[in-house]
């Protein structure tokens, strides 16, 4: 079995790590990969959204199965292109992935099908958006409609802040065309949780819960990032909430997508706000989360390859997901300056020592191999992930490993997973 993993971040390293443990002993390729993935897979220098070159590569290498990591590839129609040529690929089609790539399309679907989510208005003109925020009670949330690498969302406390956010998206076009349309959403208060489900278009299989840490600094301060750390499970997400989320969120989405003639296969990632009136969807992603996938893969006992096959073949109703009850915690090491401008090419030291801490896996994100040395190559550099008997033990192990790692300007949060320890299950 020859598998090509598309992407090159921490999520793809965790997927490659898990797939490499399949009893079916697959051979792995990855495009573009990173220095960590290179120890498990043959990496090819092809951008994740360069669909024609990926097709050619997959043909030449006789790839049996493609597993897609990032949203950019899905939005570029990678699944459609491979399916048209009769090749096996895991992920939603371009139209189905609009759940993520167009927030307004997604929100309209929610409205039509009564899926719980924040109230919203969409605007294509700056003047209309500006007039609206002037007379709307705050806080509100301003979102770029398209894909903006997790950075297109601003919580605004005052109309002045909203005006600045709208101006940045629509006038300065800091997100390019992703910000030509903006959504202005009702602000929801509560605890956030990431819940992922596999679906074959008919059945859903929910994964265990996880919690992300989106802001750059401790105490959830500073700008939003792609995610600075995650843990699984999230103690606040009780079995009752899980059942409710399946019933009110995932099942209705899968039905709605069938009705819209965009049947959805792959991973549905729901960013949920647990409000006083129940779980509400903040966003849907059409893929595995990063960094949630790192702790999730460390806890998943079931063979991921079997699950992927069940999704593609429409046999998910027969699948059974087994989890290690031990929690896992992932702490992200970022480059200095992230999520703003960063330097690349800095040497990373201490990876071997970090990897020797019991229960630890160091997943690579933005890294590159240069001769014998491993250098930084992106904003999020590593995801130091540990499993332990408790959240606290897993956290301690992850931070012990992190303290062995050095590169110029390294930045990581010290409070990843603390919430799981402080907030008992409800
Ligand atoms: P998103 O990329 O849509 O998940 O948004 C990024 C972050 O912004 C979320 O993780 C939330 O912390 C926050 N956020 C997004 N939408 C809302 C909302 N309607 N109410 C409150 N916070 C929100
Ligand atoms: N961790 C957030 C995301 O993957 O979008």
């Amino acid at each position: 079995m020859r598998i090509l993993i598309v992407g090159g971040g921490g999520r793809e390293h965790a997927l490659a790590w898990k797939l490499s443990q399949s009893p079916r002993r697959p051979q792995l390729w990855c495009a573009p990969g990173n220095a960590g993935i290179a120890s498990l897979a043959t990496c090819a220098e092809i951008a994740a959204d360069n669909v024609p070159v990926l097709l050619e590569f997959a043909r030449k290498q006789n790839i049996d199965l493609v597993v897609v990591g990032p949203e950019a590839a899905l939005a570029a129609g990678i699944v459609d292109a491979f399916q048209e040529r009769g090749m096996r690929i895991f992920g939603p089609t371009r139209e189905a992935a609009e759940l993520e790539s167009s927030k307004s399309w997604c929100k309209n679907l929610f409205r039509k099908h009564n899926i719980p989510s924040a109230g919203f208005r969409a605007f294509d003109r700056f003047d209309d958006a500006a007039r609206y925020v002037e007379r709307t009670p705050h806080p509100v949330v301003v979102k770029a409609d398209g894909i903006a690498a997790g950075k297109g969302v601003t919580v605004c406390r005052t109309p002045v802040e909203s005006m600045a956010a709208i101006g940045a998206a629509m006038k300065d076009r800091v997100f390019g065309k992703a910000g030509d349309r903006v959504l202005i959403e009702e602000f929801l208060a509560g605890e956030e949780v990431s819940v992922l489900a596999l679906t074959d278009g008919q059945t859903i299989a929910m994964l265990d819960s996880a919690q992300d840490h989106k802001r750059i600094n401790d105490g959830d301060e500073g700008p939003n990032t792609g995610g600075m750390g995650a843990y699984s499970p999230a103690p606040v997400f009780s079995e009752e909430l899980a059942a409710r989320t399946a019933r009110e969120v995932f099942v209705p989405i899968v039905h709605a997508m069938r009705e819209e003639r965009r049947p959805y296969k792959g991973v549905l990632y729901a960013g949920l706000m647990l409000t006083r009136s129940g779980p509400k969807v903040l966003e849907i992603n059409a893929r595995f989360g990063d960094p949630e996938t790192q702790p999730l893969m460390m806890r998943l006992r079931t063979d991921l390859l079997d699950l992927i096959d069940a999704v593609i073949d429409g046999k998910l109703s027969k699948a059974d997901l087994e989890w290690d009850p031990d929690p896992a915690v992932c702490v992200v090491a970022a480059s200095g300056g992230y999520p703003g401008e960063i330097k690349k090419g800095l040497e990373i030291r201490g990876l071997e020592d970090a990897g020797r801490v019991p229960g630890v896996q160091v997943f690579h994100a933005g890294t590159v191999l240069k001769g014998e040395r491993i250098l930084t190559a992106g904003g999020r550099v590593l995801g130091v992930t540990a499993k332990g008997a408790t959240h606290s033990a897993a956290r301690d192990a992850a931070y012990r490993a992190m303290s062995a790692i050095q590169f110029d300007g390294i930045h990581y949060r010290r409070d990843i997973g603390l919430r799981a320890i402080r907030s008992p299950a409800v």
Side-chain angles (χ1 to χ4, degrees):
M1 172 75 137
R2 300 161 70 90
I3 304 179
L4 170 64
I5 298 165
V6 174
R11 162 185 51 212
E12 288 77 20
H13 191 184
L15 294 172
W17 177 81
K18 182 67 188 162
L19 286 169
S20 74
Q21 290 161 30
S22 168
R24 286 149 71 188
R25 307 189 120 265
Q27 261 182 290
L28 303 181
W29 279 259
C30 189
N34 60 36
I37 296 173
S39 65
L40 301 167
T42 307
C43 295
E45 264 305 310
I46 309 169
D49 58 356
N50 192 346
V51 178
V53 178
L54 288 169
L55 261 177
E56 198 185 300
F57 178 80
R59 261 219 208 103
K60 262 199 199 134
Q61 297 295 336
N62 285 316
I63 295 295
D64 302 302
L65 169 67
V66 183
V67 178
V68 184
E71 61 273 25
L74 299 169
I78 189 170
V79 172
D80 313 61
F82 275 77
Q83 279 178 350
E84 275 163 25
R85 287 158 185 84
M87 293 162 86
R88 241 172 125 70
I89 184 161
F90 174 78
T93 59
R94 191 183 56 75
E95 281 201 329
E98 273 197 19
L99 273 177
E100 171 167 8
S101 63
S102 169
K103 286 187 196 285
S104 55
W105 190 83
C106 177
K107 294 287 289 187
N108 281 318
L109 183 89
F110 287 178
R111 195 173 264 172
K112 184 167 158 195
H113 294 268
N114 274 322
I115 293 161
S117 164
F120 78 103
R121 294 277 304 267
F123 296 94
D124 292 309
R125 292 186 37 203
F126 173 82
D127 291 347
D128 296 341
R131 215 170 305 129
Y132 177 76
V133 294
E134 266 171 9
R135 55 179 170 74
T136 296
H138 277 61
V140 297
V141 185
V142 175
K143 300 188 175 183
D145 185 54
I147 288 176
K151 296 168 198 163
V153 175
T154 321
V155 176
C156 301
R157 312 254 149 222
T158 63
V160 173
E161 284 178 27
S162 291
M163 212 66 93
I166 299 163
M170 301 182 98
K171 283 196 159 160
D172 306 338
R173 299 188 85 228
V174 296
F175 309 114
K177 75 175 177 7
D180 285 346
R181 170 177 293 170
V182 299
L183 267 60
I184 299 173
E185 275 187 22
E186 166 199 6
F187 174 83
L188 299 175
E191 180 111 18
E192 274 184 72
V193 56
S194 305
V195 185
L196 284 68
L198 298 170
T199 177
D200 59 6
Q202 298 281 341
T203 307
I204 62 154
M206 270 165 74
L207 308 192
D208 259 9
S209 59
Q211 206 155 21
D212 189 6
H213 300 65
K214 297 215 170 175
R215 304 297 192 98
I216 186 74
N217 292 323
D218 285 12
D220 296 327
E221 301 279 339
N224 261 319
T225 69
M228 291 299 292
Y231 60 85
S232 168
V236 293
F237 197 67
S238 60
E239 271 180 39
E240 191 196 327
L241 279 171
R244 192 164 171 190
T245 301
R247 202 170 58 237
E248 295 180 5
V249 175
F250 286 117
V251 171
I253 291 176
V254 170
H255 277 294
M257 294 302 281
R258 273 213 311 272
E259 238 171 73
E260 301 290 325
R261 299 183 182 285
R262 300 185 187 208
Y264 193 101
K265 278 188 178 204
V267 187
L268 279 170
Y269 162 141
L272 299 178
M273 189 68 89
L274 305 178
T275 72
R276 285 159 151 239
S277 54
K280 293 193 178 177
V281 186
L282 292 176
E283 61 163 347
I284 292 289
N285 293 325
R287 50 170 174 83
F288 285 105
D290 189 339
E292 291 93 334
T293 303
Q294 290 82 315
L296 284 169
M297 288 304 120
M298 282 190 71
R299 297 189 52 238
L300 179 64
R301 282 194 177 141
T302 316
D303 183 7
L304 179 62
L305 187 46
D306 286 348
L307 293 174
I308 286 174
D309 276 344
V311 167
I312 296 175
D313 297 331
K315 294 186 173 152
L316 201 55
S317 60
K318 297 200 181 78
D320 196 14
L321 269 68
E322 247 195 90
W323 296 91
D324 187 331
D326 285 356
V329 174
C330 169
V331 183
V332 169
S335 295
Y338 176 75
E341 225 168 282
I342 56 149
K343 268 198 214 147
K344 297 182 185 176
L346 304 168
E347 182 166 3
I348 307 169
R349 293 204 177 82
L351 286 167
E352 281 183 13
D353 287 342
R356 274 197 285 270
V357 176
V360 167
Q361 283 298 324
V362 179
F363 293 118
H364 289 224
T367 69
V368 65
L369 209 55
K370 187 133 198 217
E372 299 278 276
R373 300 184 310 154
I374 294 178
L375 309 181
T376 65
R380 292 188 292 175
V381 177
L382 301 165
V384 179
T385 312
K387 205 165 60 178
T390 60
H391 283 87
S392 187
R395 224 180 91 76
D396 288 349
Y399 279 106
R400 193 152 8 106
M402 185 64 98
S403 67
I405 295 172
Q406 300 124 31
F407 58 84
D408 266 358
I410 185 171
H411 169 76
Y412 56 91
R413 281 179 60 161
R414 319 275 155 160
D415 64 346
I416 303 300
L418 272 187
R419 205 182 279 132
I421 299 165
R422 290 196 190 127
S423 68
V426 289

